[in-house]
Amino acid sequence: DSVIDLMRGIRSQLDSLLNLPQEEKMAFQLGLSHSLARFKLKFSPDKVDTMIIQAIALLDELDKELNTYAMRVREWYGWHFPEMGKIVTDNLMYAKSVKLMGVRTNAVKSDFSDILPEEMEKELKEAAEISMGTEIAEEDVFNIQQLCDQVIHLTDYRGQLFDYLKNRMNAIAPNLSHMVGELVGARLIAHAGSLISLAKSPASTVQILGAEKALFRALKTKHETPKYGLIYHASLVGQAAPKHKGKISRMLAAKTALATRTDALGDAEGVTIAVEGREKVEERLRQLEGGQLRQISGSGKSHVTQKKFEKTGGATYNAASDFTQMDTEKVEKKKGTKRKKNADGDDEKTNGVKEKKKKKKKAADGEEPAKKKKKKDKGDKDGKKKKKKDGKKKKAK
């Protein structure tokens, strides 16, 4: 406590003790804050992830350019030697063969042993003798060979850039590289913005990182959300069957999130937690492919046994309490009940004894049912009509 009080007193009286100008004091405070920040973050030039972000962006652009240039070479030279496109499928081999051969008539004299396998070389020479392509000038061949030089040079540079990216990833994020590979790990870092930002992301975000457009479209239209994003290109997800890709990507994203946090915030060097994490994902993949049920939590080694259901205790069936429809009808007849159906088709119980009593009461009071009154009225009218007719007949006589 005394040391803390002493340091607090020194800080409060620092201006009078140092006697520095205001500008030097500000520079002193700035330098001290920077040194403290470096000490807390354990700053190291080997941990700079900006190089990875730039390298993976350049690598993707090189792939696009290489594909464009290679297809242009095939289309350009295909007018002169169209059969060669089906024989030589590799773009680099195609460019080297065109540069060495030039015109197709030189194919027989050229030696392709350093570029093509023996069978492919033999097939190429046979196809050159019977080719249906058009003739081209020397100037056309020269420009095509210049384009082939560009393809070869870009391919070599792409290989060098990939080696550089692989080394940087193994230095900065070894656990992440072990889990998903150098290219996928670099794309995850570039998409998140930095290794620290990726380490702050939960496993659910890592799983769909790169599929934001599909996610928001699914939320807007109320459809199923995507199961994977950039992590789909990892080798472990590619090995899984289509129906198991979602489960493997979810488990791989969880282990990848742990590996990223270890790389960003841990002190250990090299691959540590990723070895065990990859083994668990591979074991889970084997379980899904084999169709075995295992416990994921706990040891994860014991089989899940499905036990047969056996009924124990409970109420038993009482046969004496059963009764049939015939028995109910006999009971109803004894009580004098009748069943009627209403307009809805439901059965109604009416008591016959009560209805008879109501009719007797109405007769005693001098009331008659409405139907009988109508019949009597009709009978009186008919009688009057008959009397009138008989009176008319007598007068006529």
Side-chain angles (χ1 to χ4, degrees), residues 178-179 233-240 248 252 277-278 281-282 285:
H178 188 77
M179 285 300 301
H233 300 287
S235 59
L236 289 172
V237 180
Q239 293 172 12
I248 295 299
L252 181 62
R278 189 177 178 90
V281 177
E282 290 175 351
L285 180 60

Side-chain angles (χ1 to χ4, degrees), residues 140-179:
D140 299 330
V141 176
F142 175 77
N143 285 287
I144 293 172
Q145 288 176 341
Q146 291 294 319
L147 184 56
C148 292
D149 289 334
Q150 294 292 327
V151 173
I152 295 167
H153 176 69
L154 287 175
T155 306
D156 294 339
Y157 177 63
R158 194 226 179 247
Q160 295 175 7
L161 187 63
F162 176 73
D163 294 337
Y164 165 76
L165 180 63
K166 186 177 180 180
N167 295 331
R168 297 297 293 178
M169 281 295 296
N170 290 328
I172 295 174
N175 291 286
L176 178 61
S177 302
H178 188 77
M179 285 300 301

Side-chain angles (χ1 to χ4, degrees), residues 43-62:
F43 179 78
S44 173
D46 295 334
K47 290 288 184 180
V48 179
D49 50 9
T50 309
M51 306 301 173
I52 291 177
I53 297 172
Q54 299 297 331
I56 191 64
L58 180 58
L59 195 67
D60 291 338
E61 290 179 4
L62 277 177

Side-chain angles (χ1 to χ4, degrees), residues 196-228:
I196 297 292
S197 300
L198 184 62
K200 292 177 181 177
S201 303
S204 57
T205 304
V206 175
Q207 182 181 353
I208 61 170
L209 202 66
E212 289 85 2
K213 189 176 180 180
L215 174 65
F216 292 122
R217 184 173 63 246
L219 293 175
K220 186 177 180 180
T221 57
K222 296 182 180 180
H223 285 79
E224 294 183 357
T225 55
K227 296 179 181 179
Y228 29 68

Side-chain angles (χ1 to χ4, degrees), residues 366-377:
E367 296 179 356
E368 291 183 359
K371 292 181 180 178
K372 289 183 178 180
K373 282 183 178 181
K374 289 181 181 178
K375 287 182 180 179
K376 285 183 179 180
D377 293 340

Side-chain angles (χ1 to χ4, degrees), residues 34-104:
H34 284 179
S35 61
L36 286 173
R38 287 193 185 95
F39 178 75
K40 287 182 179 179
L41 296 175
K42 296 180 180 179
F43 179 78
S44 173
D46 295 334
K47 290 288 184 180
V48 179
D49 50 9
T50 309
M51 306 301 173
I52 291 177
I53 297 172
Q54 299 297 331
I56 191 64
L58 180 58
L59 195 67
D60 291 338
E61 290 179 4
L62 277 177
D63 288 336
K64 293 179 183 178
E65 293 294 328
L66 270 172
N67 287 333
T68 305
Y69 284 7
M71 293 307 297
R72 186 61 58 198
V73 169
R74 287 179 176 273
E75 290 180 4
W76 202 349
Y77 196 74
W79 288 98
H80 179 61
F81 193 1
E83 293 82 6
M84 185 178 175
K86 295 181 179 179
I87 298 171
V88 184
T89 55
D90 186 68
N91 292 331
L92 183 60
M93 289 182 180
Y94 191 94
K96 288 182 177 180
S97 301
V98 171
K99 183 184 176 183
L100 178 64
M101 177 174 51
V103 187
R104 69 169 183 266

Side-chain angles (χ1 to χ4, degrees), residues 178-349:
H178 188 77
M179 285 300 301
V180 296
E182 291 84 7
L183 289 176
V184 178
R187 287 192 176 96
L188 288 173
I189 293 173
H191 199 82
S194 64
L195 184 62
I196 297 292
S197 300
L198 184 62
K200 292 177 181 177
S201 303
S204 57
T205 304
V206 175
Q207 182 181 353
I208 61 170
L209 202 66
E212 289 85 2
K213 189 176 180 180
L215 174 65
F216 292 122
R217 184 173 63 246
L219 293 175
K220 186 177 180 180
T221 57
K222 296 182 180 180
H223 285 79
E224 294 183 357
T225 55
K227 296 179 181 179
Y228 29 68
L230 291 170
I231 206 169
Y232 177 80
H233 300 287
S235 59
L236 289 172
V237 180
Q239 293 172 12
K243 61 181 180 180
H244 298 145
K245 286 185 186 294
K247 295 179 180 179
I248 295 299
S249 63
R250 183 169 59 250
M251 188 173 185
L252 181 62
K255 300 301 180 184
T256 303
L258 293 175
T260 308
R261 291 163 194 167
T262 305
D263 291 332
L265 308 171
D267 297 332
E269 296 181 358
V271 183
T272 55
I273 195 174
V275 177
E276 184 181 357
R278 189 177 178 90
E279 288 177 357
K280 287 184 178 179
V281 177
E282 290 175 351
E283 183 181 358
R284 177 63 175 162
L285 180 60
R286 287 193 294 270
Q287 291 172 9
L288 291 173
E289 289 178 352
Q292 297 177 354
L293 293 174
R294 289 178 180 268
Q295 292 179 353
I296 298 175
S297 60
S299 61
K301 295 180 180 179
S302 58
H303 287 274
V304 178
T305 55
Q306 298 290 341
K307 295 181 180 179
K308 185 179 179 181
F309 175 75
E310 295 181 359
K311 186 178 179 181
T312 56
T316 56
Y317 180 72
N318 187 10
S321 62
D322 277 356
F323 56 90
T324 61
Q325 189 175 1
M326 296 295 292
D327 297 336
T328 57
E329 289 178 356
K330 290 178 181 177
V331 173
E332 288 176 355
K333 285 180 180 179
K334 287 179 181 178
K335 291 181 179 179
T337 59
K338 294 181 181 180
R339 289 185 177 271
K340 290 184 179 181
K341 287 188 178 180
N342 13 359
D344 298 334
D346 299 331
D347 291 338
E348 287 185 353
K349 288 184 178 180

